[in-house]
Amino acid sequence: MAVPTLNQGLYSDKPDVNVGRLATTVQERQEWVATVGRWREIDNGISFAESETKVTVYIPLPGIQNQPQESVCVWLTERSAEVRILDLHGSNFVFTAPELYAPIDVEGSGYRIGNDKVVLKLAKRASARGWDRWERIRR
């Protein structure tokens, strides 16, 4: 997969996050990620809360609310979550949960940018509601 970059003005040297968002296979995502360069793993301060129907994951990133929405790429599958942020304070950040504690309903899940954090809303599968309590985010 050839990975294009934006060809306009100040952004001609920046990776095109939309290419990452449109990646449909793991291989395409990995190829896009490799074109970006170095990534700093977000591994401190991550917390979560859960209700009967969803798990909310809080990923701390000071200043994220000032980033353009286009710099955030989130991939959710039934069993995994991956968040990538381009060029926040001069660094690229990543949070990965390659194997979530339990399967999620991807269509009912999403994310939002809050003050100094990315918030993932992971919808529990209907068959797992009520009895499945998450002990942690990753298996």
Side-chain angles (χ1 to χ4, degrees), residues 26 29 41-43 46-48 55-59 73-84 93-104 106 120 122 134 136-139:
V26 172
R29 288 195 316 238
E41 180 141 7
I42 305 163
D43 55 3
I46 296 165
S47 61
F48 74 98
V55 175
T56 305
V57 182
Y58 303 95
I59 305 168
C73 190
V74 176
W75 293 303
L76 300 173
T77 70
E78 183 180 85
R79 294 246 177 222
S80 68
E82 187 170 347
V83 178
R84 295 197 179 257
F93 291 89
V94 60
F95 166 78
T96 58
E99 188 176 357
L100 293 169
Y101 187 75
I104 62 170
V106 176
L120 300 179
L122 307 177
W134 286 37
R136 56 189 173 275
I137 300 302
R138 299 173 178 131
R139 275 237 175 245

Side-chain angles (χ1 to χ4, degrees), residues 63-126:
I64 186 67
Q65 70 275 9
N66 300 321
Q67 281 292 101
Q69 184 72 23
E70 297 79 37
S71 68
V72 178
C73 190
V74 176
W75 293 303
L76 300 173
T77 70
E78 183 180 85
R79 294 246 177 222
S80 68
E82 187 170 347
V83 178
R84 295 197 179 257
I85 290 84
L86 293 172
D87 198 26
L88 175 63
H89 309 300
S91 295
N92 301 316
F93 291 89
V94 60
F95 166 78
T96 58
E99 188 176 357
L100 293 169
Y101 187 75
I104 62 170
D105 172 9
V106 176
E107 295 299 317
S109 299
Y111 75 97
R112 70 175 179 79
I113 305 300
N115 285 331
D116 297 328
K117 65 184 169 263
V118 175
V119 180
L120 300 179
K121 302 273 187 173
L122 307 177
K124 291 181 177 180
R125 288 191 322 187

